[in-house]
Every structure is written in C-alpha cells, then in structure tokens.
Amino acid sequence: MRLLLKGGRVVDPANRINTVTCVLVEDGKIAAVGAIPGEEGDTSDTEVIDCTGKIVCPGFIDLHAHLREPGYEYKEDILTGSRAAAAGGFTTICAMPNTNPVVDNGAVAGYVARRAREVGIVNVLPIGSITKGQAGEELSEMAELVQAGCVAVSDDGKSVMKSDIMRHALDYARMFDIPVFSHCEDINLSADGEMHEGFRSTVYGLQGIPAEAEEIMISRDAMLAKLTGGRLHICHVSTMGSLEIIRRAKAEGIRITCEATPHHLTLTDEAVGSYDAVKKVNPPLRSEEHVAALREAVASGLIDCIATDHAPHHIESKDCEYGNAAFGISGLETAVALVMDRLVHTEVLQLSKAVALLTSAPARILGIEKGTLTPRRAADITIIDPDEVRTVDPRRFYSKGKNPPYKGMQLRGWPWMTLVAGRIVFKEGSVMEMKL
Amino acid sequence: MNFEKRKDLLGLKDMSREEIELILDTAVPMKDVIRREIKKVPALRGKGMITVFYENSTRTRTSFELAGKYLSADTSNLAVSTSSVQKGESLKDTIQTIEMMGPDILVMRHSMSGAPHYVARNTRMRVINAGDGTNEHPTQALLDMFSIRERKGTLEGLKVAIVGDILHSRVARSNIYGLSKFGCEVRVVGPSTLMPPEIERLGVRQYFDLKEGISGVDVINVLRIQRERQHAGLFPSLEEYAELYMLRPEHLELAGDGAILLHPGPMNRGIEISTELAEGPNTLVNEQVTNGVAVRMALLFLMMGGRRDEIAA
C-alpha cells in the first residue's frame, strides 16, 4: 500500500526542505520526499492525494496535554483526547500525569500507554509524575515509569515546592536521560490569585498572581539544573522575566528548554474583564508587554517549542462564577489555527519556523525519532490548509472540553489532514477511526 | 434622560456621569418620602424585587428591601444560608429558579468578583450589584456621593481621601470610579501592603502616611479593616494598624475647614475610627444609612422605567 502526497508545499525544517514537491508513504513509513521516479507511470497500487495549495509537514507533537484518564473521564478520556489531537493536527501528544490515580508508577503509566494503543488514533506518550501522588515529598519510581513508556516526568499543575526534592529529581532523571517538565509557580506567592497581577487586576477587582510567582521558581529550577546537570524543561512560560532568566541560563550552558502555549501568545489579561471563566487559566493570561516578549521569543528561538497545555474541563466547572471556575483551556483543536492566523499570517513567525516549533523542536526535547519526514521514519504527517477560514465553534470539538476562550473567533489556516504511521486519521473535518 | 437602555447596574466603572447625576437628583425627593408619615408611593406597584445575598449583610440588604417596599414593590429575600444553595445548587440554577417566579429585579451580593456580571448574562431580570468580591459596590458609592453632595452642595473639585484596606475594598473602587467622573481629587491612604498594584493609573494619589494623606481634604471616607488580612500577613497587628491609621478628632482638624467623615459601616471602633470621632458632629455615618435607602429607591425607580419628573419633591 503506497500513498502519494502530491503537489503540496513540503515543509520539513529538520531536513531543510521547504518546497513544492511530493511525499511517498509506503507501509506506514516515509519512503521518499522529492520528485518521485515513475510517478507518472504505474499508480495502480498507489493512492494519490492532491495536496495542491496545502502545506505538508511532519506530524505535530504536543508536549503538554491533559487527557484526564484515569479518574476524570467526565472531563476527557484517552479516546476523546486522541480524537481532538487528530482533528487538531497532532500525531503525537504527551499525557500529563495529574490523573486519579496519579501516573506515579508503572502500572498506571502502562494503563495509559495500553489504552492509547487500543484507541489507536494518535501516538500518546505518558509522562510520569516527579513525586509520588504529586505530593512533592518523595520521588516516584522513575526507572519503572520509563520502562512503562514514560518519556519525561512532571508534577504539572504545581511546582515541587521543596528545593531538595527538586534537586534530587533533576539529578536522578539524568540516569534515564529524560527531561523534567517543570510547572513553575511559587504557590505561597500565587496563593488565591485568579489572574495576572497588575493594573487590570486592580480594575477588575480580582486577586492577582504576580509574574514573580513563576520567575522565582524558574530561577530556582535553573540553578538546580546547573547544580545537577539534569535536563530541565519549563512548561508554559508566560512572563518577560522568565524569558530573561531562561536566556541567561541557556547562555551559561545549563540544559534548559521551554515551551509557550498558543493562548499566552495570543491573548492578554484584558480578556478576563468580562469575568467569563473560559479565560481563566494558570499561568494566567498576561499583560501586553509580556505577550509581546513571548512573541518575540518564539521568533528568536529562545522559546524552544509550542505546546497546548490542553486542559479540558466539564461545562459546570466553566459555566459558573469566575472565582469558582477551574483553571484551564481546551487547546488541542485550536492550536494550529491560532499559530497560523495569529503568528504566521501576521508574520511574527516564518512558516518553517512555526512548523519546527511544533515538530522537530519538541521531538528533540524528548529525544524521540519523530518530527521529521526522514525516509524510513514512521509516516506521521500533518497537512494544513493555510487559507481555510473557519469560526471557532466548540460544539464541533471532539474534546469533551468545550472551554476555549476563542469561541466565535474567525481564524485562517486549519489542519486539513492528519496521518499517523501512514494511516489517515483526520480528513475533511472528520476523525477517521480504525474499524475494530 | 432615563434608564431605558440600561438593563443592569453592575458597577460605576462603566456608568456615565449623567446617569449618576440622574440617580442622585432622583434620590432627593425619595429622601422626602422616607421622612413622610406615610412612607409609600405607588411607583413600583406590581413589580417584584428579590434580594439574594451570598455574603452576610444587614444594612445593604435591609436598605434595598425597604427601598423596594416604600415604592410599593413586592420584595422578597432568599436566605442563602438556609436555601438549596446549601444542597449544592449552582448559581446559574438558583438564578433561573428565581427568574421563573417572575421578579423584575434581582439584587445580589456575592463574595466573588464578577459573579453579578455572570448572572446578568444569564437572566432576563435586571441585576443590581450589591457588592461583588473585591470589585465594586456601586450603591454604596452612590450613597456616599449623595451624602457628600448633600452636605457640600457639590461634588465638583472636592478633595476626598479614602483610608484603609484599598486592595480588598469594593467600596473604594466604586468611589474612585464615581468621584473621578465629577472632577474630584481622590486620594487613597493606607499601608503599602493594602494598596492595589498600579492604583495611581486610576487617576488617584496614594499615601502611606495618614496625616499627609488627609491634610486639606474635604471628605474622609474610612474603610472597615478586616482581621483576616492580618492573618494573611498583610500587616503585623490591629494595634499597629490603629496606631498608624485610626482616625481621631485631631485628624479632622488637619483636614480642610468643615471636613466631613464617612464610614460604610459596620465600624470597628478603636481600630479604624475612634469612638469620639464616630459620634462627632461631622461624621455622617447615620445620615449615610438614610441616604442609602433614598439612593436605592431612586435606582429601583429609574431602572423600572420611572422618570425623574414623575416624582414630586
């Protein structure tokens, strides 16, 4: 079974390809990229897909998604999360461990990996917790987690507040060469905060979360990464000061990478003024100067990759008083459109740079053989229609989380087709599931 | 002008000076109604008003209720602490249930900023914010402004100092928004830990020193300090707070000639205000309570489509 993707602009940043050409897929793997010999000839066993006007990229990778299973299936599960990923153009997603039970042992990690294989829509890579129960007290059994398929560890949702435990985590993780994904938030400083602290928190009368709550922890973790030589990845970086700390740490040779989310790159804290809880997220939407700094940093390469922090919630947790609402944005199905519309079409980012931030860059952080169209690699491919204009309609989401802050927003540039290991999992607006 | 285009009153932030003036002007004849032997006008006959308070309150809720009754509205109160809210009913469902019983106006207090905004989007009833979290308390600011205007003759160009916990105060915010629209010079006075970030961008000046902050002002509005703030580590003790910020008779002398003092109540005597001052001749605390009913009558009347000239002075 051969599949020929013909006539699209192929953008494969890792292989420095950015041209109109063909991609040939054979037996689930990339067979060739370029002018295909005999392409005009015998095509009887080759399905040809006309990609004219489309952008053909390596499959997108999301380092940061909350799939909620096991434990919170009313918010999302591995099936609906996988569908949402496919519809959003993602072929590989990392599942955060703040489930119930927490992914802090091989059995739970194995469950997530196995369930994802059963569902079989996209690649789901589990992330284990740094500490048992994400309680911040004792390290999880990392060897067991890695053996069960975990590609990183994280206590995402909160910081490991004890510096000694975080030190040991970064140190111990070195033995498995996995990155430690750090949610940076000094919880004593963020306390009961509900939005970014600044002029607008004064005007809206909401409790503020100072930028420093994030920056202090990034500083600490960068120092601990230096001390231990561990690999540190900063989740959802959101402030100007954080970027400066990361820039200095990188210059010093500390092993540190970071991600930014589409919402922090495109929305400001002004959005919170309506007290609409779909805008409530942690870290909070920041003010203009922070957003401008983030946009500059994705363009300059200081920010290593874009990740969604897909945080689906049940409607009751969002259709309520702002103060009672849960933090989080359902992001898988709007990420690519936001990047295209708000960053690529507005020329903040070049197309090939944007693709790199969603493919080769996250693959490099995980150290996995994905994110490129290199021959013999699994044919994970995302095809974008850069000119499709569509209005964000959460009712059409595959995710159970109908809580995007972009409802009604018109965006240009959407995923058109998603292939995982050569199989089409999303086309013509629909997720295609394996017939079991 | 009237209130035809206005469905809700959620705050003074987005209210025009003209609308505020209309309320204050309409409150003048309303105050006369309160003083009559028969405190009843038929303006809101056949209209229903319900008060829903998710936070404790005596004066604001009673004030709204009496204001409604004096205007002949049918008023009712949902006692949240004994209601189905305690059975876990969501705010949205509670409000929908109330709506189906047919009242025209919902007066609501909630501990969370923006809760009335959320409710207003989800109901056909007219919503009046009776205080939301640390955001706004518009009717308190209106009654403060009415009290000041009544005593001083005008609001224009007055110097007003608001003293206390500005960070957590919805009264302070609404007063700042309202007074600023009348060209008042507003000062906020209090400890640095109880100042909201970038407060001066609202056009006010902040002072940490009480004497400096109140010197030469026409009006001092003293806020209630809450003990919880000490436990959150925002100041060391109520004793030290009182030492630095308690208003005493000598302070009134520092202020301008004929300076007046307001307090939204309930007062902590001996903490933010001394007893001598609390009972002094230039302290409007009791007058404020009466004015609160008048202002709320004016507001209810206007929101239900009444016109200023229909009420005879």
Side-chain angles (χ1 to χ4, degrees):
Chain A
M1 177 65 197
R2 284 151 48 107
L3 197 65
L4 183 66
L5 308 174
K6 199 175 154 184
R9 169 164 293 275
V10 177
V11 179
D12 179 9
N15 290 314
R16 302 222 164 95
I17 297 169
N18 184 356
T19 183
V20 175
T21 189
C22 296
V23 176
L24 183 67
V25 174
E26 203 165 13
D27 298 330
K29 293 193 164 51
I30 305 284
V33 177
I36 309 297
E39 141 197 354
E40 310 297 330
D42 176 25
T43 55
S44 57
D45 70 331
T46 305
E47 188 186 339
V48 179
I49 296 171
D50 182 6
C51 299
T52 307
K54 310 292 188 288
I55 301 161
V56 180
C57 318
F60 291 166
I61 299 168
D62 184 9
L63 292 186
H64 194 144
H66 296 272
L67 301 187
R68 308 296 191 201
E69 182 178 354
Y72 304 109
E73 290 83 354
Y74 62 97
K75 295 174 192 261
E76 189 82 293
D77 58 40
I78 291 170
L79 175 62
T80 55
S82 295
R83 286 177 182 151
F90 291 95
T91 57
T92 298
I93 54 176
C94 294
M96 280 295 179
N98 57 339
T99 48
N100 185 18
V102 169
V103 182
D104 63 1
N105 61 70
V108 186
Y111 170 77
V112 173
R114 206 163 50 245
R115 179 68 192 133
R117 274 196 305 276
E118 270 169 32
V119 163
I121 299 172
V122 298
N123 306 300
V124 176
L125 306 175
I127 293 175
S129 65
I130 298 172
T131 62
K132 289 180 186 134
Q134 292 194 313
E137 299 288 339
E138 282 178 60
L139 295 187
S140 303
E141 292 171 341
M142 276 188 217
E144 192 181 290
L145 287 169
V146 170
Q147 194 156 25
C150 289
V151 291
V153 286
S154 179
D155 273 3
D156 186 57
K158 50 190 167 184
S159 270
V160 176
M161 287 297 289
K162 291 188 174 174
S163 303
D164 54 342
I165 302 297
M166 189 61 178
R167 172 198 178 163
H168 300 322
L170 281 160
D171 196 355
Y172 197 75
R174 285 194 304 146
M175 294 196 292
F176 315 103
D177 196 28
I178 53 169
V180 176
F181 283 22
S182 183
H183 168 118
C184 291
E185 175 185 0
D186 182 327
I187 54 168
N188 297 317
L189 211 45
S190 56
D192 302 325
E194 311 174 276
M195 70 171 289
H196 174 61
E197 181 176 302
F199 178 60
R200 291 205 178 101
S201 65
T202 294
V203 174
Y204 304 154
L206 290 168
Q207 295 305 300
I209 301 173
E212 286 74 8
E214 174 175 313
E215 293 158 3
I216 284 170
M217 283 318 237
I218 296 182
S219 300
R220 183 202 71 171
D221 287 356
M223 288 176 182
L224 295 174
K226 184 180 179 186
L227 174 67
T228 58
R231 276 168 64 194
L232 174 66
H233 175 74
I234 306 295
C235 295
H236 41 55
V237 60
S238 73
T239 81
M240 209 157 39
S242 299
L243 293 169
E244 183 51 28
I245 295 159
I246 293 165
R247 192 188 60 73
R248 287 206 308 261
K250 284 186 170 181
E252 251 193 274
I254 295 170
R255 300 171 82 193
I256 184 170
T257 54
C258 67
E259 70 191 29
T261 70
H263 48 270
H264 288 117
L265 288 163
T266 56
L267 294 173
T268 68
D269 58 352
E270 194 181 7
V272 176
S274 61
Y275 303 99
D276 185 346
V278 295
K279 318 282 174 63
K280 185 174 173 181
V281 65
N282 188 24
L285 300 175
R286 303 286 185 186
S287 54
E288 282 79 357
E289 65 270 28
H290 294 287
V291 176
L294 285 181
R295 290 162 77 95
E296 207 178 295
V298 278
S300 74
L302 176 58
I303 291 173
D304 298 87
C305 71
I306 291 173
T308 65
D309 192 6
H310 175 69
H313 283 290
H314 198 240
I315 185 161
E316 275 89 64
S317 312
K318 283 295 189 181
D319 187 11
C320 62
E321 307 88 312
Y322 185 93
N324 271 339
F327 289 98
I329 284 173
S330 179
L332 278 171
E333 290 169 82
T334 48
V336 168
L338 284 165
V339 169
M340 289 302 293
D341 187 274
R342 298 297 158 108
L343 299 175
V344 174
H345 290 319
T346 55
E347 294 178 357
V348 172
L349 270 184
Q350 287 186 335
L351 175 63
S352 60
K353 177 77 189 170
V355 172
L357 288 163
L358 289 159
T359 57
S360 50
R364 204 172 307 121
I365 290 165
L366 292 178
I368 57 171
E369 293 203 332
K370 288 193 175 296
T372 75
L373 296 174
T374 305
R376 288 181 298 284
R377 293 272 178 87
D380 293 350
I381 299 170
T382 298
I383 308 175
I384 299 170
D385 182 345
D387 295 314
E388 185 190 346
V389 176
R390 207 202 303 160
T391 302
V392 177
D393 178 4
R395 288 170 307 180
R396 287 185 54 185
F397 277 16
Y398 282 94
S399 170
K400 289 182 191 173
K402 316 286 184 196
N403 53 305
Y406 323 101
K407 185 178 166 185
M409 205 183 264
Q410 204 177 61
L411 300 173
R412 180 161 73 100
W414 290 82
W416 182 70
M417 189 180 286
T418 310
L419 294 92
V420 175
R423 197 167 62 80
I424 296 170
V425 294
F426 172 77
K427 72 168 180 183
E428 289 162 8
S430 296
V431 173
M432 326 288 290
E433 287 179 42
M434 264 195 298
K435 301 284 174 288
L436 293 171
Chain B
M1 79 173 278
N2 57 31
F3 269 37
E4 268 164 18
K5 292 201 178 103
R6 171 172 286 282
K7 174 178 169 277
D8 310 299
L9 178 78
L10 302 176
L12 297 193
K13 196 188 304 174
D14 308 312
M15 199 171 221
S16 69
R17 175 179 168 142
E18 290 68 33
E19 284 178 295
I20 294 173
E21 265 175 340
L22 181 61
I23 297 168
L24 300 185
D25 291 347
T26 309
V28 175
M30 292 298 181
K31 192 170 177 179
D32 294 332
V33 173
I34 302 169
R35 289 187 183 126
R36 287 182 199 164
E37 184 114 2
I38 295 171
K39 304 174 200 9
K40 198 90 167 171
V41 290
L44 297 190
R45 198 174 55 198
K47 301 293 181 191
M49 177 190 104
I50 185 157
T51 54
V52 180
F53 276 54
Y54 282 79
E55 254 185 3
N56 294 333
S57 156
T58 43
R59 71 198 68 216
T60 304
R61 190 178 65 72
T62 313
S63 177
F64 266 110
E65 213 170 321
L66 283 174
K69 286 185 196 302
Y70 294 159
L71 293 172
S72 302
D74 292 304
T75 68
S76 180
N77 169 50
L78 179 87
V80 170
S81 59
T82 57
S83 75
S84 50
V85 172
Q86 299 307 315
K87 299 177 188 166
E89 188 173 58
S90 73
L91 177 58
K92 192 177 188 178
D93 287 342
T94 303
I95 298 307
Q96 259 165 21
T97 305
I98 291 170
E99 177 174 324
M100 295 321 285
M101 296 182 190
D104 303 277
I105 293 187
L106 171 74
V107 178
M108 175 180 167
R109 169 169 290 185
H110 202 285
S111 60
M112 287 170 187
S113 302
H117 303 66
Y118 167 75
V119 165
R121 277 198 293 275
N122 284 292
T123 180
R124 286 193 302 275
M125 292 182 283
R126 293 171 179 276
V127 178
I128 297 177
N129 180 5
D132 64 322
T134 51
N135 182 39
E136 283 221 47
H137 191 349
T139 58
Q140 177 69 45
L142 288 169
L143 79 86
D144 290 346
M145 291 165 77
F146 181 90
S147 306
I148 297 167
R149 196 180 75 163
E150 191 181 50
R151 188 64 81 96
K152 293 285 179 188
T154 178
L155 289 167
E156 205 67 50
L158 292 181
K159 292 180 184 171
V160 181
I162 306 171
V163 183
D165 178 359
I166 311 297
L167 178 61
H168 299 96
S169 178
R170 52 195 177 208
V171 175
R173 280 177 179 74
S174 288
N175 264 285
I176 290 169
Y177 297 134
L179 292 167
S180 300
K181 292 180 210 276
F182 288 82
C184 294
E185 178 192 321
V186 182
R187 305 174 179 187
V188 289
V189 186
S192 52
T193 47
L194 294 176
M195 285 293 171
E198 302 181 50
I199 183 72
E200 293 198 333
R201 282 179 63 188
L202 287 177
V204 304
R205 279 198 66 184
Q206 66 175 357
Y207 293 82
F208 304 138
D209 183 84
L210 176 63
K211 287 182 178 165
E212 201 189 326
I214 60 169
S215 111
V217 299
D218 304 291
V219 180
I220 304 172
N221 199 343
V222 188
L223 303 173
R224 175 181 169 78
I225 187 82
Q226 288 178 304
R227 196 175 281 275
E228 301 97 90
R229 311 302 174 206
Q230 178 194 334
H231 299 147
L234 288 162
F235 59 88
S237 68
L238 286 176
E239 289 72 24
E240 180 153 304
Y241 183 87
E243 183 64 33
L244 293 175
Y245 295 104
M246 181 166 70
L247 271 296
R248 300 175 181 85
E250 62 262 34
H251 290 123
L252 217 47
E253 286 159 30
L254 274 173
D257 275 346
I260 53 173
L261 190 128
L262 282 73
H263 191 298
M267 291 187 284
N268 289 305
R269 293 182 185 220
I271 296 173
E272 74 254 357
I273 187 167
S274 71
T275 291
E276 304 92 290
L277 199 55
E279 292 170 2
N282 291 315
T283 300
L284 272 55
V285 178
N286 293 327
E287 198 68 23
Q288 281 173 276
V289 176
T290 309
N291 293 341
V293 179
V295 162
R296 288 173 179 120
M297 285 170 75
L299 180 63
L300 292 170
F301 174 71
L302 292 167
M303 285 187 73
M304 290 317 299
R307 299 182 65 89
R308 163 82 177 85
D309 50 27
E310 289 170 47
I311 285 283

